[in-house]
Structures are given as structure tokens and as C-alpha cells.
Amino acid sequence: MASEGRVTSFDVARAAGVSQSTVSRALRNDPNIGSRTVKKVLEAAAALHYVPSSRARALSTGATNRVAMVIDLDNPLWPLLVGRMHDELAGHGYELGLVASHGERDVETQLADGSVDGVIVSASRLASTLPDTLRGRGIPVVLVQRHSSDPDVDAAVADDAEGGAAAARMLLEAGHERIGALFGPADTSTGREREAGFRRVLTEAGVDLPDRWVRYGGFEMSHGFRSLAEVTGGRTAPTALFCANDTIAIGALNAAHAAGLRVPRDVALVGFDDIETASWPLVELSTIRVPFDEMLRSAVSLLLERIGGFTGLGRRVVHPVVPVPRSTHLRP
Amino acid sequence: MASEGRVTSFDVARAAGVSQSTVSRALRNDPNIGSRTVKKVLEAAAALHYVPSSRARALSTGATNRVAMVIDLDNPLWPLLVGRMHDELAGHGYELGLVASHGERDVETQLADGSVDGVIVSASRLASTLPDTLRGRGIPVVLVQRHSSDPDVDAAVADDAEGGAAAARMLLEAGHERIGALFGPADTSTGREREAGFRRVLTEAGVDLPDRWVRYGGFEMSHGFRSLAEVTGGRTAPTALFCANDTIAIGALNAAHAAGLRVPRDVALVGFDDIETASWPLVELSTIRVPFDEMLRSAVSLLLERIGGFTGLGRRVVHPVVPVPRSTHLRP
DNA sequence: CAGTCGAATGCATACGCATGCACTGTAGGC
DNA sequence: GCCTACAGTGCATGCGTATGCATTCGACTG
């Protein structure tokens, strides 16, 4: 029972009384192999607990059946993206590798060394050169959730501008007139476009968005937590705040709670994404739903097409968003 | 600028006027290569944008520098474990692959095909044969957070029994006498040991834990959400509930909120893990802190020792837990 | 000056699977 | 009953890197 090194296809071949190439073909369902032979080979393989070496197969075929996902561990959205991406890829027979984007240099090498068939980038900054560099090296890349400034790279995103607009309408329709905003990073497409859509509608409605009620920050809770007091602390305070994502909104909600403010009575909030927490009874956050499942499915299918050899121009799939009014946007 | 196939070490060799083996050695800092030669090779490699093929290297060296982590996407703890594991592994030069444990059969093959140097299992059920099977195939395995019934497999865990005990003490010291519990799955070491520790202290204190105030379920919010009403709905209700993890507790907290009950006035709660949400002002969950950073660090170091060739008996590293009393356990 | 040693490099091969091509045997056609 | 055709297998080689061993050349010893 001692494991005397790896069991290879040669061992199986010997046991089955055929050649190594026949083993290889039999196990890969090559139609040229006779059914009797296939049976012999399968039995021998099972008896020996043979598992083909993915290392050798990768070298030989040039494919790894693995996809890497570049994530930003600071963005609280990553588990949602990764979890669904895992399932989506698994459905297509691919494994998922995780790469956090700290030092982009190393990351680039890591992704270009042939250890994956393609790359999903979920944490791209607008100015990032990573997607374009990978593309330049012939590695299939798809952006998800955000796009880059490079239109040649495929991307699956949500309609962030429309979502921002919808959020603005939600607040206006609830009767708010003194409105502030906690926007996201300006160097991300999500941050920028959600802001643009939101501003557009306010402008069209003739509602002002004074700078003293606006803050920029990361997509983390701390932004909302810190900024709420700043924005509501002046002589006049906004009655409602748009938050660039749910996490920021929940940060603000917690800050409000800590400060003894009631939501939405003292300050109303609208988030973006519709993460699970938003629907907690304790939270009941009004928000804009991003169809993550569809978005990730698009991303995977764009990527698989590239892996399959598609070399056309960059494509951008935009997914519609859905306003989800709960209770935090109301004006009592 | 057209990419005419991959750049290999042969191309670099030609450009530098040396042999392929010299290129290989020069890039791997072999001391036998003259410094002039090393310089030439490095320059040629840079000029050609050469990136060694990890596929070929893996086949040749037998090492992939990758570790797979088996997770349970239904257990809300996974992002925390995965995020920290990623960073911890990255610090040692390893990449992280993700495998969700749906159909264990496939998973086993996927992990045994030589595509990783080792495996971290974070979602093991007590009866699972996966860890032992992998070990039997000579693949380094370490369990983290939970252990299996097989003591031959290395594991890095928290002191769950002591944590359960500490939770019981926390409630007793707050003055609770009518106590219930929402325990976790009995086929996990965490579920079982947290329960055992909790029960032990209650018994020692002569406090009863009536079955009608006890529910078992998964480590998900839905367990807490559903069970709260059941447990508090009778003629007499417990004044406090122990929850097998924070997520269950938060589910219960939300159910309480939805039902108009106040925490801890109407029902007190204690969780387990001290996830980030527990410290939100909105939540202020009293809990038992698991030192995840240390635990994952242990797991990685156990695994790296195995990868390095250690073949001794199975080891189990138990990490002490810390009670974190906030506001939900109090008895007003 | 012959002999020796060692640093520096090249040669050849292994790693394990996939696959183009050559080959064998048998069935079918005439 | 001979030849064609094709299903079924085996042979040989490629994938790109790492590495044991042989080789070269210069320097140093006696």
C-alpha cells in the first residue's frame, strides 16, 4: 500500500496491456478506441487509482482549465463576486484562482506565466494598465463590475449611470430637497458613473448638490461612518444622502445610530448594489439592485469566447439595474 | 509587435548567446553562473519580455507553488477565511485556488491531480473522508477552523469548547437563569464542541437547558432568524440565547427586530467568532473572539512543513479564544 | 613547464500527457 | 480470392524547464 511515486499513464498501459497513447485516448473518450479496450483501460485506471497529472496535461495541451480573478480585498464586495464567479466557472469546468491586486508588477507576471487560461479583473481602476497589458500579451481578459478606460478590453458591467439617476429620482420622489452624497473613488468607473447619473437628475430637477454635503472616499464602511457626521454636522443638514454603494450606506447607518440619529427620520439614505445585508430587517436599506448573477455570467461567457479564440474588438455588456425602495429613503 | 507564439528560454538563450540551461540557471540565481553571463541573460530576458512558463516548471520540478482551499460557500465565514488565507499564503510565495465542496467526488480528483502542492480544508464535516483520502494519496492537507474525526490530519482550530464555556459564563454572570441555545450542526467539530462547553458550564452551575429552548441548524442567518420565534414563542421564554456563531446571532437579532422585541431587554444574545459585523454600533453583539489571523497562520505553517516533506504524526494547534462582552448579553 | 583543480558552461534527458502519423488486421467489394 | 478501406493501436515526438553529468578553459601548484 506504500505509494511508490506517482501512478502514470504508462503504469495503466502496462496493467491494461496496451500502449500509453491508447490509455490517453481511452480516458479522453477518443472515438477511435474500441469499446473493449476502453473498458480494460478504465478498469486498470480505477484499480491503480490513476489520476492524470494536470501539470503534464497543461504543458502538453497548452490549457490549464483555470481562470484567475483579480480582486481588491479592501472592497467589501469581493466575496459576492468571487462566490458567484466560482460557481459560474465550475459550471463550465474551470477552476478559480484568486489574486489580490496589491503590487501590480508581480501580479502581471503571475498572470502571464501561463498558469491560467484567462483572467477576470474585478477591481480595476480606470487608469490601471493591467487589463491592457495582459491583452497585449495575448491573455484573455474580461473586466467585471467596472470597466477601464481602454475600450478594447471586454467588460461586463451594470448600468451605473442609470442607477445613480434612479437613486436621485427615488429621493426626489420621496420629497427630499436638501440632498447630499457620499460618492465613491473617482478613479473607478463605478464611482464616477454613479455620481454622474445622480448629479444629472438632480440638475434636471433643479435641485442643488452643495459641496459641503458631498464627500468622496473608498467603497468601504469607514467612508460612510466617517463622512456622515461631517455632512450632517453643519448649521443646515441634508435630509437625505446618496451613498455610492451599500457598504458606505451601512457605514453611515451605523454612524447615525451611534450618534443617536434615526434613519430615515433624521437622515435618509440610499445605497447601491443591493447586497444581502441591505435586506436585513435591522437595515432595510433602499438601494439600487445590480444583477450580479447575470453580470458574472456575461463576464464568463465573454471570457470563454476569448479563450476559445475570439479576437474581435472589445465588447461591453451593460446590465440594467433595478431600484429597490425599502425604508431608508423615505421622508417621514 | 505581433506575438509569434510564446517566448521560451531557448529564445532568450539565442539572444544572449548562451545555452538554454544557462538561461535557466541564471534566472534562478544559480551561483555557478558567472556574473557577466547573468547580466547578459537578464538583459535578453527583459528585452524579450520573457516569462518562464509555470506549466513547464511545474512539470519539471513537481511543485506548483499553489495551494487549494476547500470552502463551503454556504457558511458565511468563508470570505474571512479566504481573504486572510490569501494574504498569508502570498507572504510565502504561494497562490491560492478556490474549491467549493459540493460534490466531494470531483473535488477529490481536482485536488489529487497534482495541480496544487497542498490543500487547506476549511469546511470539513466530522465524517468527511476527504482529508484522510488526500493524506492517503500523499497530498499535504491541513484542516482549519474545524477538525475531523481523524487525528492523523493536521488541524489549526480555536478552543471551541472553552469558548462555549465562556459564553455560558458570560450569560450567567449577567444574571440570566432562563437560557436557551441555537446550536450549530452536530456533524461539525465547531458545532459540537461549542455546544459541549456551553452545556458543561450550565450544568456545573445547576442551570437547566430545556429542550424547548434549544434548536439545531446550520451556521447561517436563516437558522437564527427562524429559530428565535420558535424558542421565544412559548408560555415562558428564555431571557438569553447562546448562538453557535455570530451569523446565527445576527439572524436572531434581525428576527427580534422584525418581531418588535428589543435586544437585550426582551432577549439577550451571545454569538461566537467576533466577525466584523458584530462590532457595528447597530449590532454590538457580545461574542467570543476567535483569533483568525493566528489560526490561519498556524494552518499555513503546518501545511508548509508538510509540503517541505515533514511526515510526522498529525498535529492539532488549538488557539485560545477571548470573550468580548458588548451589549447584547446583558440583563437589564 | 607539466599537471591538477575548479569555475563556468553546454549537452542530454526527465517530467507525463497528447497527438500526428505509420502500421496491423479484418471486413467488404468485385 | 485479391485488393481496398477503414477501424483500431502503437510509435515517436513535442510541450518548456530543470538538472546531473560531461566538457572546456584558465589559473595555480610544485
Side-chain angles (χ1 to χ4, degrees):
Chain A
M1 225 29 181
S3 60
E4 64 296 330
R6 256 197 97 72
V7 177
T8 74
S9 53
F10 285 95
D11 300 321
V12 177
R14 199 175 314 122
V18 297
S19 72
Q20 180 268 329
S21 46
T22 297
V23 171
S24 174
R25 283 192 254 259
L27 294 176
R28 299 179 61 66
N29 292 321
D30 188 314
N32 288 331
I33 302 295
S35 56
R36 296 175 53 92
T37 307
V38 168
K39 188 155 171 264
K40 270 194 306 183
V41 170
L42 288 180
E43 285 171 0
L48 296 174
H49 298 294
Y50 171 66
V51 177
S53 159
S54 78
R55 301 203 267 253
R57 179 172 291 174
L59 181 58
S60 185
T61 62
T64 58
N65 269 26
R66 292 200 307 117
V67 166
M69 186 162 184
V70 179
I71 60 177
D72 174 4
L73 288 174
D74 291 332
N75 183 336
L77 205 59
W78 75 261
L80 193 161
L81 298 173
V82 167
R84 298 179 191 218
M85 182 58 72
H86 172 279
D87 287 349
E88 185 63 24
L89 285 173
H92 291 275
Y94 280 80
E95 295 176 40
L96 178 62
L98 235 46
V99 176
S101 61
H102 290 306
E104 289 215 348
R105 275 280 158 261
D106 297 14
V107 166
E108 195 178 304
T109 302
Q110 214 176 114
L111 297 170
D113 66 1
S115 57
V116 294
D117 295 339
V119 178
I120 302 263
V121 179
S122 76
S124 188
R125 305 264 154 181
L126 278 171
S128 169
T129 60
L130 181 65
D132 197 42
T133 304
L134 291 174
R135 198 177 56 82
R137 294 194 177 221
I139 298 166
V141 198
V142 170
L143 296 175
V144 68
Q145 212 234 340
R146 301 182 190 167
H147 59 251
S148 73
S149 42
D150 182 352
D152 292 340
V153 179
D154 292 342
V157 297
D159 193 343
D160 289 308
E162 169 53 27
R169 279 183 226 114
M170 201 189 281
L171 291 178
L172 292 174
E173 283 164 15
H176 292 283
E177 292 168 348
R178 304 210 312 274
I179 295 175
L182 310 185
F183 292 127
D187 62 344
T188 63
S189 65
T190 37
R192 191 174 290 191
E193 295 183 5
R194 290 173 185 186
E195 174 180 356
F198 185 76
R199 284 187 184 275
R200 181 171 53 74
V201 168
L202 286 197
T203 303
E204 286 170 6
V207 172
D208 195 28
L209 184 63
D211 285 347
R212 68 180 186 287
W213 292 345
V214 171
R215 290 292 183 283
Y216 292 86
F219 281 123
E220 299 113 53
M221 274 188 67
S222 56
H223 172 27
F225 197 86
R226 219 177 15 238
S227 302
L228 182 88
E230 295 178 17
V231 165
T232 59
R235 294 184 63 86
T236 62
T239 63
L241 283 179
F242 168 66
C243 301
N245 75 356
D246 289 350
T247 307
I248 297 173
I250 288 166
L253 183 63
N254 273 291
H257 186 84
L261 299 175
R262 306 285 294 268
V263 175
R265 206 190 56 190
D266 299 319
V267 58
L269 297 172
V270 179
F272 207 119
D273 283 343
D274 196 23
I275 63 177
E276 200 199 318
T277 309
S279 66
W280 292 2
L282 208 53
V283 172
E284 295 237 316
L285 182 65
S286 301
T287 186
I288 307 297
R289 175 176 301 155
V290 170
F292 288 107
D293 283 326
E294 288 85 346
M295 195 170 77
L296 293 176
R297 204 170 301 133
S298 293
V300 168
S301 94
L302 289 173
L303 186 68
L304 292 184
E305 285 172 27
R306 292 283 174 189
I307 292 176
F310 176 75
T311 55
L313 295 175
R315 298 156 296 171
R316 187 168 295 177
V317 182
V318 178
H319 294 267
V321 296
V322 182
V324 181
R326 292 199 179 94
S327 69
T328 61
H329 72 290
L330 296 173
R331 176 140 202 242
Chain B
M1 223 29 179
S3 60
E4 65 296 331
R6 253 196 102 72
V7 177
T8 74
S9 53
F10 285 94
D11 299 322
V12 177
R14 198 175 313 121
V18 298
S19 72
Q20 180 269 329
S21 46
T22 298
V23 170
S24 174
R25 284 191 253 259
L27 294 177
R28 298 180 61 67
N29 291 321
D30 188 313
N32 287 332
I33 303 295
S35 55
R36 298 172 52 94
T37 306
V38 169
K39 188 154 172 264
K40 270 193 307 185
V41 170
L42 289 180
E43 286 171 1
L48 296 175
H49 298 294
Y50 170 66
V51 178
S53 158
S54 80
R55 300 202 267 253
R57 178 172 290 173
L59 181 58
S60 186
T61 62
T64 58
N65 270 24
R66 292 199 307 117
V67 165
M69 187 161 182
V70 179
I71 60 177
D72 174 4
L73 288 173
D74 291 333
N75 183 335
L77 206 59
W78 75 261
L80 192 161
L81 297 173
V82 168
R84 297 179 193 218
M85 182 58 73
H86 172 279
D87 287 350
E88 185 64 23
L89 284 173
H92 290 277
Y94 280 81
E95 294 176 41
L96 177 61
L98 235 47
V99 176
S101 59
H102 290 307
E104 290 217 347
R105 277 277 157 263
D106 297 12
V107 166
E108 194 177 304
T109 303
Q110 211 175 115
L111 297 170
D113 67 1
S115 57
V116 294
D117 296 339
V119 178
I120 302 263
V121 179
S122 76
S124 189
R125 305 263 153 181
L126 277 171
S128 168
T129 59
L130 181 63
D132 196 44
T133 305
L134 292 175
R135 198 177 57 82
R137 296 196 177 219
I139 298 166
V141 198
V142 171
L143 296 175
V144 68
Q145 211 234 341
R146 301 183 191 165
H147 59 252
S148 72
S149 42
D150 181 352
D152 292 340
V153 179
D154 292 342
V157 298
D159 193 343
D160 289 307
E162 169 53 26
R169 281 184 224 111
M170 201 188 281
L171 291 178
L172 292 174
E173 283 165 15
H176 293 284
E177 292 168 348
R178 305 212 310 273
I179 296 176
L182 310 184
F183 292 128
D187 61 344
T188 63
S189 65
T190 36
R192 190 174 290 191
E193 296 183 4
R194 289 174 185 186
E195 173 179 357
F198 185 77
R199 283 188 185 274
R200 181 171 54 74
V201 168
L202 286 197
T203 303
E204 287 169 8
V207 172
D208 195 29
L209 184 62
D211 285 347
R212 69 181 187 284
W213 292 346
V214 171
R215 289 294 181 284
Y216 291 86
F219 282 124
E220 299 113 55
M221 275 188 68
S222 56
H223 173 26
F225 197 87
R226 215 174 20 234
S227 303
L228 183 88
E230 296 179 17
V231 166
T232 59
R235 293 184 62 86
T236 62
T239 62
L241 283 178
F242 167 66
C243 301
N245 76 355
D246 289 350
T247 307
I248 297 173
I250 288 166
L253 183 64
N254 272 292
H257 185 84
L261 299 175
R262 307 285 295 267
V263 174
R265 205 191 57 191
D266 299 320
V267 57
L269 297 172
V270 179
F272 206 118
D273 282 344
D274 196 23
I275 64 177
E276 201 199 319
T277 309
S279 66
W280 290 3
L282 207 54
V283 173
E284 295 238 318
L285 182 66
S286 300
T287 187
I288 308 296
R289 174 176 302 155
V290 170
F292 289 105
D293 283 325
E294 287 83 347
M295 197 172 76
L296 293 176
R297 203 170 301 134
S298 291
V300 168
S301 93
L302 289 173
L303 186 68
L304 292 185
E305 285 172 26
R306 293 282 173 189
I307 292 176
F310 176 77
T311 55
L313 296 175
R315 300 156 296 170
R316 186 169 295 178
V317 182
V318 178
H319 294 267
V321 297
V322 182
V324 181
R326 292 200 178 94
S327 67
T328 61
H329 72 292
L330 296 174
R331 174 137 204 246

